[in-house]
């Protein structure tokens, strides 16, 4: 229905944005009576794809399920109704070891209300740092799907999932400063600046160098494609933050000023706070994709899909807590 060439339903046409592309049906030569949907490989554009499958909704059984089916589904994860989602599995690339960590559905079912935040945050951890850029971009994309659900009353989804994929290879971009490279500086986790200010590593942001003229330069993970330059203005009691794109010059020219007395000698946490209030197009530079998958139990309706909406809101809340804390 969604990909029918004659489709003119604005709700279904909008839904296309959140699904894998559809390429018709396919039957294997050895089993011509078995028919499969042929769908886009969402991971195809990623070098080291990190993947998480999250079942959404308060109920994983449809309105026509038998009593036995209902009991079976509820027993798999009794907290589904209260939490509204279930992690079915994840695969995370760790940069330092050049290897993947995989968790199956038993991992997701072991998560409780108290441990679900830490359990999901594992998906966004590269082995050396928490990819807050990916968390922020994921929230933004899930909020768009939530907006679609809030505006439609014709379909209800059961046992359907979100597939979250992001680029795991996030080596920091090396930037040459005179004859000093990031590789030479990486061994120093803290740096004492001329003015007595101490800079510390903080998540994906790493101090590279402090030059004589007071210019502090830092790099963030390659997936952001951003370079952060914090210029210390000696003739003003403030710091200005300028963001420039490594691939396109001067994409975002606006500067955010931070009062120097508010920094208390710790610049990078303040830098990070500014980043998480960047315009939408800047945050979305993180290489992240979120798609809706698994539609074996989708039914016509004349009401909002409150169960799915509940699950999306709870998942967004958990992701926001990961970002904030």
């Amino acid at each position: 229905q969604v990909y029918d060439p004659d489709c003119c339903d604005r709700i279904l046409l909008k839904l296309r944005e959140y699904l894998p592309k559809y390429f018709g049906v396919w039957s294997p030569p050895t089993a011509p009576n078995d028919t499969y949907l042929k769908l886009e490989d969402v991971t195809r554009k990623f070098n080291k794809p990190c993947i998480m499958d999250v079942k959404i909704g308060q109920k994983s059984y449809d309105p026509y399920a038998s009593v036995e089916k209902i009991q079976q589904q509820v027993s798999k994860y009794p907290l589904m109704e209260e939490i509204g989602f279930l992690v079915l599995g994840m695969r995370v690339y760790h940069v330092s070891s050049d290897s993947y960590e995989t968790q199956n559905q038993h991992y997701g079912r072991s998560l409780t209300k108290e441990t679900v935040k830490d359990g999901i945050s594992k998906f966004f951890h590269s082995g050396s740092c928490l990819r807050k850029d990916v968390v922020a971009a994921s929230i933004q994309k899930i909020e768009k799907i939530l907006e679609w659900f809030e505006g439609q009353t014709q379909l209800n989804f059961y046992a359907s999932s979100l597939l979250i994929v992001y680029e795991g290879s996030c080596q920091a971009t090396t930037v040459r400063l005179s004859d000093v490279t990031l590789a030479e500086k990486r061994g120093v986790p803290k740096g004492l600046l001329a003015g007595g200010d101490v800079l510390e590593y903080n998540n994906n942001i790493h101090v590279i160098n402090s030059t004589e003229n007071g210019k502090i330069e830092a790099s963030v993970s390659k997936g952001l494609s951003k370079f952060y330059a914090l210029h210390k203005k000696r003739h003003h009691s403030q710091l200005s933050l300028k963001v420039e794109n490594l691939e396109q010059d001067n994409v975002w020219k606006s500067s955010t000023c931070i009062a120097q007395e508010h920094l208390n000698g710790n610049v990078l946490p303040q830098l990070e706070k500014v980043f998480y209030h960047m315009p939408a197009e800047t945050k979305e530079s993180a290489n992240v994709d979120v798609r809706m998958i698994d539609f074996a139990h989708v039914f016509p309706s004349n009401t909002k899909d409150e169960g799915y909406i509940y699950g999306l809101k709870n998942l967004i809340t958990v992701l926001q807590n990961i970002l904030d804390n």
Side-chain angles (χ1 to χ4, degrees):
Q1 283 182 277
V2 174
Y3 283 94
D4 188 319
D6 297 324
C7 177
C8 56
D9 185 321
R10 65 177 184 82
I11 296 295
L12 296 185
L13 290 174
K14 184 68 176 176
L15 183 57
R16 287 183 184 180
E17 297 179 25
Y18 312 122
L19 308 185
K21 291 184 178 65
Y22 173 65
F23 298 105
V25 296
W26 176 83
S27 297
T30 54
N33 293 327
D34 294 344
T35 305
Y36 297 86
L37 298 179
K38 190 174 181 182
L39 300 175
E40 171 189 10
D41 174 8
V42 179
T43 70
R44 77 197 186 286
K45 66 181 181 181
F46 297 93
N47 179 35
K48 298 290 184 181
C50 296
I51 309 164
M52 182 166 65
D53 183 333
V54 187
K55 185 183 288 188
I56 304 292
Q58 290 177 284
K59 297 175 181 177
S60 56
Y61 53 88
D62 63 59
Y64 303 100
S66 65
V67 175
E68 292 77 18
K69 179 70 171 178
I70 293 173
Q71 290 175 343
Q72 178 198 39
Q73 289 297 313
V74 171
S75 65
K76 285 182 179 179
Y77 196 56
L79 280 176
M80 190 78 179
E81 188 166 355
E82 188 172 351
I83 294 179
F85 61 85
L86 166 63
V87 175
L88 292 179
M90 66 173 71
R91 188 179 77 162
V92 188
Y93 178 70
H94 288 173
V95 178
S96 55
S97 61
D98 188 25
S99 63
Y100 282 96
E101 177 186 353
T102 303
Q103 301 289 350
N104 62 20
Q105 56 188 309
H106 299 293
Y107 172 81
R109 288 173 185 159
S110 71
L111 300 178
T112 65
K113 288 187 295 183
E114 292 73 30
T115 63
V116 68
K117 180 171 81 76
D118 291 338
I120 288 181
S121 69
K122 180 176 284 194
F123 172 64
F124 299 99
H125 206 285
S126 70
S128 58
C129 66
L130 182 66
R131 293 289 305 275
K132 286 194 170 187
D133 58 310
V134 175
V135 181
S138 297
I139 290 172
Q140 206 162 48
K141 289 178 180 293
I142 295 170
E143 283 177 338
K144 289 181 180 178
I145 294 174
L146 174 60
E147 186 178 338
W148 181 85
F149 271 92
E150 293 278 19
Q152 70 90 23
T153 57
Q154 64 191 59
L155 295 172
N156 279 4
F157 294 71
Y158 301 92
S160 186
S161 292
L162 288 185
L163 191 72
I164 303 174
V165 188
Y166 72 88
E167 179 56 64
S169 56
C170 61
Q171 295 92 346
T173 303
T174 300
V175 181
R176 180 168 290 278
L177 306 175
S178 302
D179 294 323
V180 183
T181 65
L182 172 62
E184 294 167 1
K185 285 289 183 180
R186 186 173 281 164
V188 185
K190 293 185 179 182
L192 187 63
L193 305 182
D197 299 322
V198 177
L199 298 184
E200 301 177 358
Y201 273 38
N202 193 293
N203 296 302
N204 295 323
I205 304 173
H206 306 279
V207 176
I208 300 174
N209 195 22
S210 172
T211 56
E212 290 182 3
N213 64 2
K215 182 179 179 182
I216 305 163
E217 298 190 338
S219 95
V220 294
S221 42
K222 193 174 181 181
L224 289 174
S225 297
K226 298 293 173 186
F227 175 66
Y228 293 76
L230 198 58
H231 299 277
K232 191 170 185 180
K233 297 183 177 179
R234 295 191 178 277
H235 55 287
H236 291 297
S237 61
Q238 63 185 17
L239 294 173
S240 73
L241 176 68
K242 291 186 179 181
V243 181
E244 295 178 354
N245 193 299
L246 284 174
E247 295 159 359
Q248 301 172 12
D249 292 332
N250 304 323
V251 169
W252 188 47
K253 283 287 192 179
S254 60
S255 299
T256 303
C257 295
I258 313 170
Q260 193 169 5
E261 57 269 23
H262 290 212
L263 291 174
N264 296 322
N266 198 353
V267 177
L268 290 182
Q270 302 297 327
L271 184 68
E272 193 175 41
K273 286 178 184 176
V274 172
F275 166 63
Y276 294 119
H277 290 87
M278 282 184 188
E281 64 271 16
T282 308
K283 274 198 277 188
E284 278 203 305
S285 62
N287 202 351
V288 181
D289 208 345
V290 179
R291 306 288 186 95
M292 295 169 59
I293 60 172
D294 300 340
F295 308 111
H297 304 280
V298 179
F299 293 87
S301 174
N302 55 11
T303 61
K304 284 186 180 182
D305 191 341
E306 297 294 351
Y308 202 106
I309 290 172
Y310 178 87
L312 287 178
K313 286 182 176 179
N314 271 10
L315 179 58
I316 290 169
T317 298
V318 170
L319 294 177
Q320 193 64 53
N321 286 337
I322 292 171
L323 195 60
D324 294 341
N325 298 329

